[in-house]
Amino acid sequence: MMTLKKITVAALLAFFTIAPAFADWKEEADRRIEQHRKENVSIHVTVDGKPVSGAEVSLKLVDHEFLFGCNIFKWGRCRTPKENELYLGAFDDLFNFATLGFYWWAYEPKPDEPQYSYSQQVADWCKEKGVQTKGHPLAWNFIDPPWAKDVDEHELYHRQMGRNFDCARRFSGLIDVWDVVNEATAWDREDCRKNAPHLTSIMEQYDPIAFTKSCFEAARDGNPKAKLLINDYMTGKEYVELIEKLVDSDGKPLYDIIGIQSHMHSASWSNEQLWDTCERFAGFGVPLHFTELTVLSGSIPFDWSNQKPIPTTPEGEQKQKDEVERIYTMLFSHPSVEAITWWDFSDQGAWMHAPAGLVRTDMTAKPAYDALKKLVRETWTTDVALKTDAQGETTARAFRGTYQVEITLPNGKNARFPARIEKGENNLTFDLKP
């Protein structure tokens, strides 16, 4: 069984030695980013295999390896065509990762009539823009499909497993990351029993852990190459205990990634809370995705009984900006975190009518959008000009990701090459013709 790493005295001492000094959090986080997000790169320029001295080398990051994402639920569904255009333009300018909605009650409003077409259009747009995709979620007993009341619960169980298989298989190659089961720790809470009595009942009948395992197995059968997540808003011992049980008969984890929700409608997480959460789940030895990150730009604490849109305010937008800079910096600095997904992109149609967007209802950017874009596109990027030595070599330290390399020889000849910088040794050789 997969368990958290045992904490020895030596490990405990080591933790306190390297744990962040939160009073100087920014300096420590920047140091960790330099250590964990960048690699040493050796570049060798040749002409017909012979080293070229004095060649100019431009090394420019095109796309991060790290996934900076957001849900894309308003794709084509904004109030006007102009707002759709602005929404997608702003999304593409910032993100390389998108979460597509696969909520069963909306995806299949009538039995055996899934909304394939819309999901296909969104996924195709993402592929065209070079945006990686994730489907969310395959199983969640939060709201029953409208036809579930007319289906025998044994059949509903098999329909759930068939849906997991079908979605994973049908969109293989377009969507290869899936939130398989959502919020399984609190599967029997009051709103689940009220809004999804039939799905909640089958989880109870088949046992929540056994049900969750079967969901993963069905998705894996549909797309063996997919990256599968368990996803939850609970970040304490309940979630740890659930994850420990999500293994096959050989003790191998059924999941590839652990998803952590972090909706901060009432209060922002402190640096200590962010770090402790990362450390708690890093012990499982798989990547962590912060799957649903929200910081509001309006009144806090949030009124959960709210039924009307809450306005964004100048003071709230400044606070949101400051928190976005802090939270993203902290999470980007933790070596186990591989993705951060914001929730929602626009205030228009945001969950619970909250001012949760990085852009306003009219799609104009809030300060938090500009601040995050500056981090991703300017602060955490590599764009350097180098020159080769007598051996035709030069070196750099660069963020992991996809690059465009442009080389200009002393005689003025110029060429461009794609390159990929990954974790580990990066020895790149570019051979030009005379």
Side-chain angles (χ1 to χ4, degrees):
M1 178 177 290
M2 189 70 164
T3 58
L4 288 170
K5 297 176 180 177
K6 294 181 179 179
I7 300 178
T8 64
V9 173
L12 191 61
L13 291 173
F15 172 79
F16 282 112
T17 300
I18 65 172
F22 290 111
D24 302 317
W25 74 269
K26 182 66 166 56
E27 181 179 345
E28 287 296 311
D30 288 342
R31 178 188 61 78
R32 292 192 301 273
I33 290 170
E34 178 70 25
Q35 177 184 356
H36 298 303
R37 298 298 173 192
K38 299 172 79 172
E39 301 294 333
N40 293 324
V41 183
S42 177
I43 298 172
H44 190 202
V45 178
T46 62
V47 172
D48 277 348
K50 298 179 180 179
V52 178
S53 174
E56 296 178 356
V57 180
S58 169
L59 183 67
K60 184 174 184 178
L61 179 68
V62 175
D63 188 22
H64 271 281
E65 175 191 79
F66 193 91
L67 298 175
F68 293 100
C70 186
N71 67 34
I72 195 167
F73 295 168
K74 294 295 287 184
W75 191 97
R77 292 173 170 171
C78 298
R79 296 174 301 194
T80 67
K82 181 61 176 178
E83 287 177 347
N84 285 327
E85 180 183 349
L86 293 172
Y87 178 96
L88 294 180
F91 192 103
D92 184 41
D93 282 347
L94 177 54
F95 298 117
N96 63 355
F97 190 41
T99 296
L100 283 67
F102 279 82
Y103 301 102
W104 200 359
W105 61 86
Y107 180 72
E108 193 175 349
K110 296 181 180 180
D112 303 315
E113 295 184 22
Q115 304 298 299
Y116 295 133
S117 177
Y118 177 77
S119 298
Q120 181 78 36
Q121 291 177 57
V122 180
D124 285 340
W125 180 87
C126 290
K127 183 176 181 179
E128 177 187 344
K129 297 297 184 178
V131 175
Q132 295 187 53
T133 54
K134 181 181 74 170
H136 166 88
L138 290 177
W140 188 21
N141 66 313
F142 185 65
I143 297 178
D144 280 335
W147 43 264
K149 63 182 183 298
D150 300 320
V151 176
D152 174 81
E153 289 182 350
H154 179 72
E155 180 185 346
L156 185 61
Y157 172 86
H158 288 285
R159 280 179 173 270
Q160 173 72 80
M161 299 309 152
R163 157 184 159 80
N164 299 351
F165 176 87
D166 179 68
C167 288
R169 181 191 62 177
R170 180 175 296 274
F171 292 98
S172 178
L174 274 178
I175 305 174
D176 292 325
V177 184
W178 291 94
D179 287 334
V180 179
V181 182
N182 200 47
E183 300 179 4
T185 56
W187 65 274
D188 61 345
R189 65 185 190 261
E190 182 179 350
D191 55 355
C192 290
R193 290 193 176 276
K194 177 182 178 181
N195 301 325
H198 302 285
L199 286 174
T200 302
S201 179
I202 67 171
M203 287 189 73
E204 190 167 27
Q205 288 184 36
Y206 286 90
D207 178 76
I209 296 299
F211 174 86
T212 301
K213 287 184 177 183
S214 295
C215 286
F216 274 87
E217 290 165 351
R220 185 75 68 192
D221 288 344
N223 182 357
K225 296 182 180 180
K227 298 296 184 182
L228 305 182
L229 285 82
I230 184 72
N231 188 50
D232 218 297
Y233 70 94
M234 304 281 277
T235 59
K237 66 177 183 178
E238 299 93 342
Y239 196 23
V240 170
E241 291 169 356
L242 171 70
I243 294 170
E244 288 177 337
K245 296 173 183 176
L246 291 184
V247 294
D248 62 19
S249 58
D250 296 323
K252 181 180 177 181
L254 294 170
Y255 55 88
D256 302 297
I257 298 166
I258 294 173
I260 299 168
Q261 297 180 27
S262 49
H263 295 289
M264 304 179 192
H265 288 66
S266 297
S268 292
W269 292 15
S270 67
N271 286 344
E272 290 88 342
Q273 185 177 1
L274 291 166
W275 190 262
D276 288 348
T277 300
C278 291
E279 289 292 279
R280 182 176 306 123
F281 295 100
F284 285 97
V286 300
L288 307 181
H289 283 199
F290 274 71
T291 53
E292 303 177 33
L293 171 60
T294 306
V295 178
L296 304 187
S297 63
S299 59
I300 296 176
F302 184 69
D303 179 5
W304 292 101
S305 65
N306 169 62
Q307 297 296 318
K308 296 181 179 180
I310 295 176
T312 184
T313 66
E315 297 80 9
E317 290 187 359
Q318 182 59 45
K319 179 66 174 177
Q320 183 191 50
K321 168 189 174 292
D322 294 342
E323 291 297 82
V324 161
E325 291 175 330
R326 178 182 66 84
I327 293 166
Y328 271 82
T329 300
M330 282 295 296
L331 295 180
F332 190 56
S333 78
H334 196 286
S336 291
V337 179
E338 293 191 354
I340 306 171
T341 292
W342 186 264
W343 209 269
D344 293 273
F345 186 47
S346 171
D347 285 349
Q348 189 181 129
W351 182 54
M352 294 296 293
H353 310 290
L358 293 174
V359 300
R360 306 180 184 94
T361 56
D362 63 357
M363 305 306 157
T364 56
K366 296 179 186 177
Y369 176 92
D370 294 329
L372 182 55
K373 185 176 178 180
K374 184 175 181 179
L375 285 175
V376 175
R377 301 298 187 192
E378 297 179 28
T379 305
W380 299 331
T381 194
T382 301
D383 186 357
V384 294
L386 310 166
K387 184 169 287 190
T388 58
D389 60 17
Q391 287 72 46
E393 296 179 351
T394 188
T395 61
R397 187 155 178 81
F399 284 95
R400 295 195 292 271
T402 302
Y403 278 79
Q404 176 178 280
V405 181
E406 183 172 357
I407 298 173
T408 303
L409 300 178
N411 64 6
K413 184 177 179 61
N414 180 279
R416 293 181 178 179
F417 302 87
R420 181 80 182 171
I421 293 176
E422 300 177 332
K423 189 171 184 177
E425 291 188 10
N426 289 270
N427 299 306
L428 308 178
T429 297
F430 302 99
D431 188 58
L432 286 75
K433 296 301 178 183

